[in-house]
Structure formats: C-alpha cells, structure tokens
Amino acid sequence: MTRAISLHHVSKTYTRGVRVVDRLSLDIAPGEFLVLLGPSGCGKSTVLRMIAGLEEITEGELRLDGEYANDLLPAERRMAMVFQNFALYPNMTSRGNIGFPLRIEAPDEDPRARVDATARMLGIEDVLDRYPAQLSGGERQRVAMGRAISRHPSAFLMDEPLSNLDAKLRNHLRAEIAGLTRELGVTTVYVTHDQAEAMSLGDRVAVLRGGVLQQVGTPRSVYALPRNVFVAAFIGTPRINLLRGLVRAPLDGAMTISLGKQYLRLPEPLSLDHQLLRVQQGREVIVGLRSEAVRIAKRTSARPGEMPITGLVEHVEFQGHEVLVHFDTGSRPALVPDLEAPRAAPRQPRRRRRDGTVLDRLRERAVSLRAGPVVVLEDPPDPAPAPADARLPGDLVVRTTPDIDLRRGMQVPLLVDISHLFVFDQHGERICPSPDRLPDLDE
Ligand SMILES: Nc1ncnc2c1ncn2[C@@H]1O[C@H](COP(=O)(O)OP(=O)(O)OP(=O)(O)O)[C@@H](O)[C@H]1O
Ligand SMILES: [Mg+2]
C-alpha cells in the first residue's frame, strides 16, 4: 500500500510572518523516490515534517492518494520517518528496537518473523541481540532503518539519514537505501543538502531555495537544463563556471559574448537558441560553462562549434583519476549569494552589532538571503579582504586527465564547446538554451 503524496500551494509560517516554505506544489507518484535538495535552512525538514503531520500546514493542501490530509494525525498517515539524529532505545537490543513499532501497533502478535525478515533485508541478522552501544555507526543506522520499515509503511520520509556517517559508509548505505526502497516499491521522500546524493538516489529531484521550489525533474534534466543559476550552481561537481559576459550582436557582424578582454564568437549560422540572444544586445549576462564544456587545446585544432580562449594556470588540483585546473581568463565571476564561499560575501553592515544578538544577526541574514536575488552582478560595495585560505584561484575550472603537465603561470589555449554553453539573464534566469526547451521525453 504505497501512496501518492501531493502538495498544493503549501506554505509554512512560524513566527513574525516569515514564510519558510512558500506555496510549494509537488506531486509525488506512488512508489516514486523523490529527493528534496537545497542548502541549509531552505525548508526541507519543514516540508517533510508537514507531510508526516509533525508540523501544521499554515496554508495550502496536502493530499494522500487524492484525499485531503492536512488534519490527519501522524499515526493515521502510516508513514515512517527516519531522522538525521536517529535515536535508538539504548536499553533495547536491535531486535527490541526493530520490533518496537510492531509491538505498539499489534501488542498481541509476535513480531519475531517480521523482525527477522527486516534484518535479513538489511544484512544485520548477526547483530540482533546487541545493544546500540555495541554497534558501529552503520549498523546503528541500519537498525534505525529497520525500525522504520518493519511495519510496512505507506511512505518513507527520510531526513538526511546518512549525514553523520563517514563517506565510505554513506556511499555504501546510499546504494542500499536505493535498492531497498525500490524493492519495496514504497513512496519515499528523502531530504539532503548533498547534491551528489540527490543525483544518485532520486527518480526526481526537487530543488528548494529559501522555501521556494526552483525546479523539479529527473537528475538528468536538472543537470542538463537548469532553470536558473542557482540550480545550475547547486548541481554538479566541480561547480559550473559562471562568468559575467556582455552580448554584442551587431547587425553586420558576428554575434559575440565578451568575457573580460576575451570573447566567444557564436558560430554561424546562429542556432535557434543563439538567435534568442539578439535581444540581449549590449546587456550583461551570465555565461555558464560546466567543466566538460571546456577543454585544453593541446595540439589538436578546434572541432566544429568550439571557440578558442586562453587561460593562465592559477592552481592545479590533483584528484587521482583526473585533474582540476583553475584558470584565470580575466573575466569576472558572477556570485550566487546562497552558495558563495566567505570570500565572496560582501561585508555585513555593522550598525546593529551592538544591540543585536548573534541569533538576531543570523536571522536577519537568513531573511535577506531568502528575499535576495539569485545572482549578484554588482561588485560588492566594500569587499572584505580575502583570507588567504578562502581565495578561489582563478575564474574557470577545467577538468582534464592527469597526464597533462600544467604548472602555475602557464598560458594555455582552451576550447569552449559552444553547444554546451548556458546563458542566464541578469536575474539569473536561463535564456539559452531557450527556457521553452524541455528535457527529452525518453529519459
Ligand atoms: N520551530 C521553528 N520556529 C521558527 N523558525 C523555525 C522553526 N523551525 C525551523 N525554523 C526556520 O525555518 C527555516 C527552515 O528550516 P528547516 O529546518 O526546514 O531547514 P532545512 O532545509 O531542513 O535546513 P538543514 O539543512 O539545516 O536541516 C529555517 O530558517 C529555520 O530557522
Ligand atoms: Mg533539516
């Protein structure tokens, strides 16, 4: 019995009228694995808790299998929630913990068979008689999962269930969760701020920023056709390069986008998407280049659709199977406020320091982020001096193979694959490829 979960214009206001979730609409199909993805404080847990019935819905409608469900008690929803800081009962063995919800639900039945079956599924048969203190982190996490799934819930709600585990265990359990929920075919809503986790787990990913849904789609479609710079920058590693450019579209010449002192010439005849850029003539735009859209020219010449620029090597990051090269191309990066490293954040005004508590300042900052623009094109009025360790070397990161020997200070010819070019307008909305472009239907 798995459920369709649908949210229609759902909002949540705590105190002082701040909407932490703002008119969220989402339709989650029975058996679907949906990931809610976004930075800290964007409202992910709040959404999950509203679905679970642990938090009241301020406005809007929650429907379960089409039935109005705003007022159902949590128990009536038959959902299982796995929290980030899952708590096991320390005085119960794994068997006791997994069987606990079963004993509450049906006190007269022996939960033994269900507990054994659940433990087998999770590979923890050997630790059923141990107490939580005698388990490793991963085993504890699996017992917590076992407790959530033992009573065959109609949906799983998971709130960053892996975030306090080490990377290796996280990867391992990630694969297990994906396998398990698909095997059980139970609708799952999974919250994370880790885009790699979202991309590897989700049938679809819903990206939230400041309580507002930015985009929902398959991992492939949000990567390939991000609606705005926020989604583009949040998804994918290394992060997409976002450079400030200026569109020049003379009537009698080639259309170009200048990036500082260099420029990209758009190949003729202009593609339909590039023709759309004509109306941006003379305007500042944001050029988005994923690392796979740029390559080091070596001795090969440009392929059709590739345009040359040059970059000065600032930093070479060795990653084993690949190398990330940070280039300075002389262009200026565009900033995405919610995602920037400390270096990029403009200095906060000082005047309230004396009377405001730290909490007040954090709250103010959270509100200003929520209301703020997706992208900042103005130079910060009073840029804070960059702490040496927070400096972003260069403005363009290119991925390459480890056999290429590059050192700091080298001038290197680069080729930009224009067919992989993203262009966003001054507000951060995607204008190229055309916003009307839909992901391929065969996904
Ligand atoms: N009980 C509450 N009262 C007032 N504000 C709250 C309350 N709970 C959460 N908030 C605020 O609502 C916003 C969203 O919180 P939420 O916990 O949903 O974020 P999140 O996306 O889960 O973040 P994280 O990734 O850090 O867990 C935050 O700004 C938070 O401070
Ligand atoms: Mg949370």
Side-chain angles (χ1 to χ4, degrees):
M1 194 200 52
T2 184
R3 297 205 123 156
I5 301 172
S6 91
L7 302 160
H8 184 68
H9 289 316
V10 166
S11 298
K12 177 71 190 178
T13 309
Y14 287 111
T15 42
R16 291 201 287 168
V18 180
R19 274 192 179 176
V20 298
V21 175
D22 195 1
R23 282 161 294 180
L24 174 67
S25 294
L26 267 180
D27 286 309
I28 307 165
E32 181 173 10
F33 196 118
L34 182 106
V35 180
L36 281 176
L37 173 69
S40 184
C42 74
K44 306 177 294 292
S45 297
T46 304
V47 173
L48 210 62
R49 293 169 61 80
M50 287 193 287
I51 296 174
L54 302 174
E55 202 70 72
E56 202 184 319
I57 294 172
T58 313
E59 277 168 56
E61 237 177 64
L62 168 73
R63 288 182 172 269
L64 299 176
D65 293 331
E67 301 281 329
Y68 182 79
N70 287 39
D71 305 326
L72 287 185
L73 294 172
E76 294 170 322
R77 305 184 189 201
R78 291 194 51 83
M79 295 175 172
M81 188 135 172
V82 185
F83 296 94
Q84 173 175 350
N85 295 309
F86 55 93
L88 296 175
Y89 301 108
N91 56 338
M92 285 184 200
T93 60
S94 305
R95 177 178 294 287
N97 269 288
I98 297 173
F100 186 75
L102 297 172
R103 287 201 304 278
I104 298 284
E105 202 172 64
D108 303 332
E109 284 171 31
D110 184 2
R112 192 161 276 273
R114 280 273 270 283
V115 171
D116 285 338
T118 306
R120 219 171 304 126
M121 204 184 289
L122 291 165
I124 46 172
E125 303 107 305
D126 299 345
V127 301
L128 279 177
D129 296 323
R130 289 203 216 149
Y131 289 90
Q134 301 167 318
L135 302 174
S136 74
E139 287 162 349
R140 251 180 255 153
Q141 182 63 280
R142 274 183 272 180
V143 172
M145 295 277 297
R147 194 172 57 184
I149 68 179
S150 63
R151 65 189 181 113
H152 296 183
S154 64
F156 289 128
L157 305 176
M158 304 194 187
D159 194 352
E160 315 227 16
L162 306 181
S163 56
N164 47 14
L165 301 176
D166 69 50
K168 193 161 157 246
L169 198 54
R170 203 158 59 219
N171 283 342
H172 174 69
L173 282 177
R174 194 193 278 171
E176 264 180 28
I177 289 179
L180 189 70
T181 55
R182 295 220 158 80
E183 197 176 306
L184 296 171
V186 176
T187 314
T188 303
V189 186
Y190 186 104
V191 161
T192 182
H193 62 270
D194 177 344
Q195 61 88 26
E197 192 162 288
M199 300 294 269
S200 71
L201 279 175
D203 293 323
R204 284 189 304 157
V205 177
V207 184
L208 279 178
R209 171 186 179 256
V212 179
L213 181 68
Q214 305 291 302
Q215 188 165 0
V216 55
T218 60
R220 189 186 290 265
S221 72
V222 288
Y223 183 82
L225 290 171
R227 183 169 293 163
N228 59 32
V229 280
F230 178 80
V231 177
F234 201 76
I235 286 178
T237 39
R239 195 202 299 181
I240 191 170
N241 298 292
L242 293 170
L243 307 175
R244 295 162 62 170
L246 192 68
V247 175
R248 303 237 182 254
L251 288 175
D252 55 350
M255 184 145 89
T256 60
I257 304 178
S258 50
L259 302 168
K261 292 202 184 81
Q262 311 195 49
Y263 63 89
L264 290 172
R265 192 168 57 77
L266 302 184
E268 309 268 353
L270 290 179
S271 68
L272 288 177
D273 277 337
H274 292 158
Q275 286 175 29
L276 294 174
L277 290 176
R278 258 195 204 295
V279 294
Q280 302 293 328
Q281 148 65 20
R283 292 207 195 129
E284 190 153 8
V285 292
I286 300 151
V287 172
L289 291 171
R290 293 217 187 265
S291 64
E292 61 267 26
V294 189
R295 66 184 180 101
I296 292 164
K298 289 198 247 178
R299 281 191 202 90
T300 55
S301 51
R303 300 176 194 136
E306 283 185 330
M307 292 296 160
I309 56 172
T310 61
L312 180 71
V313 178
E314 284 281 350
H315 177 61
V316 181
E317 217 180 304
F318 182 68
Q319 307 234 315
H321 63 296
E322 66 179 14
V323 169
L324 299 178
V325 189
H326 297 242
F327 288 102
D328 182 357
T329 65
S331 58
R332 287 172 306 162
L335 310 180
V336 185
D338 318 43
L339 302 178
E340 294 313 324
R343 168 195 94 112
R347 193 180 279 168
Q348 294 299 304
R350 287 228 168 130
R351 63 198 146 78
R352 299 195 66 146
R353 256 209 179 137
R354 259 170 291 133
D355 41 52
T357 63
V358 173
L359 205 62
D360 281 339
R361 291 209 307 279
L362 284 176
R363 217 173 269 139
E364 262 171 42
R365 178 149 169 74
V367 171
S368 73
L369 279 183
R370 188 166 300 124
V374 173
V375 66
V376 173
L377 288 180
E378 296 83 36
D379 289 311
D382 177 18
D389 56 350
R391 261 178 76 89
L392 274 181
D395 51 35
L396 184 77
V397 178
V398 178
R399 191 189 261 156
T400 184
T401 49
D403 57 302
I404 300 184
D405 184 27
L406 291 178
R407 307 219 181 96
R408 192 179 147 82
M410 287 179 171
Q411 277 286 355
V412 177
L414 301 171
L415 291 167
V416 175
D417 179 354
I418 299 289
S419 68
H420 275 72
L421 188 75
F422 291 108
V423 184
F424 303 93
D425 70 13
Q426 302 179 13
H427 309 291
E429 300 297 321
R430 192 185 81 225
I431 46 179
C432 177
S434 156
D436 301 331
R437 270 267 280 281
L438 295 173
D440 293 343
L441 294 174
D442 63 354
E443 272 181 16

